[in-house]
Amino acid sequence: MKLYELKAIAKRLNDFSFISRARRVEDNTLELMFDKSDSYFFNMTRGHSVVYKAPSQRPLQGYNAPFDTLLHTLLSASKLINVEVPNNDRILRLTLAPKSSYKDKIIYLQLEFTGKNTNAILIDDNKVIIEALRHIDADSSFRVIRPGMELLAIPSYERKEESKEIADIDVYLEEKHEQIQAKKLLELKKQKLSVTAKKSKKLAQLLEKLPDELQLAQQEQEYKSYGNLILANLYQIKPYDTKLKTYDFEGNEVTIKLPKNIKINRMSDYFFNLAKRAKNKAKNVHIEQENLQSKKDFYDNIYYALEQAKEPYELELLVPKRAKSQRKKERLKEGELFWIEGYKVLVGRNSNENQKLL
């Protein structure tokens, strides 16, 4: 964020009298709604911080960290006293009077757009940190950001930045939102399409590897024949033999590779069991084929829906991003897991999986 942008934003926010809503809508993005009408979003991503204006939208997931609880409790319905850019630093400081306080109380929300140390910090009137979006230890910076610690000032240094006049800051921030959304849509769509395509490709490979019913029927007959020939020629097989050369019942010469570590009198059972397995596979291979094909069709439909998506919100809804802890806990054999507005939604990839989920 440029200094002239922050000054124009501060000037505009001073037109409002109170904050009606304060919440986190993404991992690093805060939404502040002023006077029940105008929502401004503060993306506090390190190195890519930005402020934009857009219609309020319900977040895909809820955030319940201590910072989020205090942000909602202290800022929602609070009176807006002043918004400033202190010491010409890339900082927006909102001075507020919380509604929940039983006596006059002043707090500050300090939004620091300072590269790798970008942060959102709640401070009391003694400049003591109440809570912060990111905690910073002494190992990382001389400015320790922890609840109960005094917030030290950012060292001042002279910077040379271009200064521009922004005619209408709201229009400027709305245009910025459109640019951000277009870029985010492109990057996110590419990522989600890649993930979905990999799942579809994996299922296609499994379909290709499925044995053919005719081939399995031939294997069944072959293994049965081997079993019968071994029974008929049991007397010829020595304990150290690795193969049996004999003639089948039609008079054709046959060489049978003998299994290792199996007693001679159990060798015929070995081949009869192989014949039984081949028969069962042939009997059920069409069921597995239908199962895999329906799952592949599910991901192909998701892929098509991703291609048609016009908003990043739609992309996250179709292929939601899960936290690492959720990835470990939620290992599903049947269906896909979606988190929508904090609710866990399980969707089967075919009718069988839907029945199991019920």
Side-chain angles (χ1 to χ4, degrees):
M1 290 295 294
K2 302 292 185 183
L3 186 60
Y4 70 86
E5 293 175 320
L6 292 175
K7 286 182 176 180
I9 292 167
K11 184 181 178 182
R12 170 66 178 123
L13 296 184
N14 275 311
D15 294 337
F16 299 107
S17 56
F18 67 95
I19 294 177
S20 48
R21 178 187 292 154
R23 63 181 177 181
R24 186 151 51 129
V25 292
E26 291 178 359
D27 291 352
N28 298 308
T29 304
L30 309 182
E31 177 193 358
L32 299 181
M33 180 182 277
F34 296 86
D35 293 359
K36 294 185 178 180
S37 58
D38 295 85
S39 282
Y40 293 81
F41 295 81
F42 303 84
N43 185 330
M44 309 307 291
T45 303
R46 288 170 177 162
H48 301 283
S49 55
V50 67
V51 180
Y52 59 88
K53 188 175 187 291
S56 181
Q57 191 173 52
R58 193 181 182 97
L60 283 167
Q61 70 176 82
Y63 293 89
N64 300 304
F67 173 78
D68 301 295
T69 304
L70 287 164
L71 185 74
H72 172 74
T73 305
L74 296 174
L75 268 66
S76 294
S78 63
K79 183 182 178 183
L80 183 63
I81 298 171
N82 185 42
V83 182
E84 61 179 332
V85 179
N87 303 320
N88 281 333
D89 281 322
R90 286 185 293 174
I91 294 171
L92 268 182
R93 184 184 290 167
L94 286 74
T95 306
L96 307 154
K99 182 184 177 182
S100 57
S101 179
Y102 66 93
K103 61 180 181 178
D104 291 341
K105 180 181 178 181
I106 297 296
I107 64 162
Y108 304 93
L109 173 63
Q110 183 155 304
L111 302 168
E112 300 182 350
F113 301 86
T114 51
K116 67 176 183 178
N117 292 321
T118 295
N119 212 340
I121 308 167
L122 289 167
I123 317 161
D124 66 15
D125 53 358
N126 293 316
K127 294 187 179 178
V128 173
I129 298 167
I130 301 171
E131 191 50 272
L133 179 63
R134 296 186 187 90
H135 292 176
I136 300 175
D137 295 321
D139 296 338
S140 305
S141 172
F142 78 95
R143 291 179 81 228
V144 177
I145 309 297
R146 287 276 179 187
M149 301 290 292
E150 183 183 353
L151 182 66
L152 300 178
I154 294 175
S156 59
Y157 68 96
E158 197 174 325
R159 62 167 62 86
K160 293 181 180 179
E161 284 189 13
E162 58 177 342
S163 182
K164 293 181 181 178
E165 191 69 31
I166 301 173
D168 189 327
I169 188 63
D170 279 353
V171 172
Y172 181 84
L173 295 179
E174 284 166 358
E175 288 174 353
K176 186 158 281 194
H177 170 250
E178 290 174 6
Q179 294 166 7
I180 291 166
Q181 289 295 89
K183 185 180 178 183
K184 187 178 179 181
L185 181 67
L186 195 65
E187 293 173 353
L188 207 55
K189 186 177 280 193
K190 185 179 178 181
Q191 176 196 340
K192 304 288 185 187
L193 285 172
S194 175
V195 169
T196 308
K198 281 180 183 176
K199 290 182 179 179
S200 180
K201 185 180 178 181
K202 187 178 179 181
L203 289 165
Q205 289 171 345
L206 290 172
L207 277 166
E208 286 179 10
K209 289 178 182 177
L210 280 179
D212 181 61
E213 283 188 60
L214 182 62
Q215 186 183 359
L216 287 169
Q218 290 173 347
Q219 282 182 2
E220 180 197 355
Q221 294 304 318
E222 186 179 78
Y223 290 139
K224 270 186 182 178
S225 175
Y226 285 174
N228 287 322
L229 286 171
I230 286 172
L231 275 177
N233 294 277
L234 210 57
Y235 66 94
Q236 292 187 31
I237 303 173
K238 305 294 186 294
Y240 49 81
D241 283 347
T242 58
K243 57 186 177 181
L244 171 66
K245 279 190 177 182
T246 186
Y247 293 90
D248 63 17
F249 299 112
E250 282 78 36
N252 301 312
E253 189 176 1
V254 177
T255 301
I256 303 171
K257 187 178 178 181
L258 300 175
K260 294 179 181 179
N261 303 320
I262 293 179
K263 292 180 181 180
I264 294 171
N265 62 346
R266 304 297 297 175
M267 284 185 181
S268 60
D269 289 340
Y270 170 81
F271 285 103
F272 287 139
N273 285 333
L274 287 179
K276 189 177 179 181
R277 285 181 200 170
K279 183 181 179 180
N280 289 334
K281 275 187 181 180
K283 188 178 176 182
N284 298 316
V285 71
H286 72 282
I287 299 172
E288 183 63 17
Q289 187 176 18
E290 287 172 10
N291 184 37
L292 290 172
Q293 186 61 54
S294 61
K295 289 178 182 178
K296 184 180 180 299
D297 291 343
F298 173 85
Y299 289 119
D300 289 343
N301 289 334
I302 290 286
Y303 190 93
Y304 176 77
L306 288 170
E307 286 184 317
Q308 305 305 311
K310 300 287 189 264
E311 297 284 338
Y313 183 88
E314 295 174 43
L315 296 174
E316 289 293 356
L317 203 62
L318 290 164
V319 184
K321 179 178 67 176
R322 289 183 290 174
K324 289 182 180 178
S325 59
Q326 290 172 344
R327 286 176 195 160
K328 290 177 183 176
K329 290 176 185 175
E330 306 291 347
R331 295 283 183 182
L332 295 179
K333 290 183 180 178
E334 289 92 18
E336 282 287 325
L337 171 66
F338 296 87
W339 286 93
I340 301 174
E341 297 180 4
Y343 292 95
K344 183 166 74 171
V345 179
L346 300 172
V347 179
R349 292 166 291 189
N350 53 38
S351 57
N352 290 333
E353 289 189 347
N354 280 327
Q355 287 174 4
K356 288 178 182 178
L357 290 173
L358 290 173

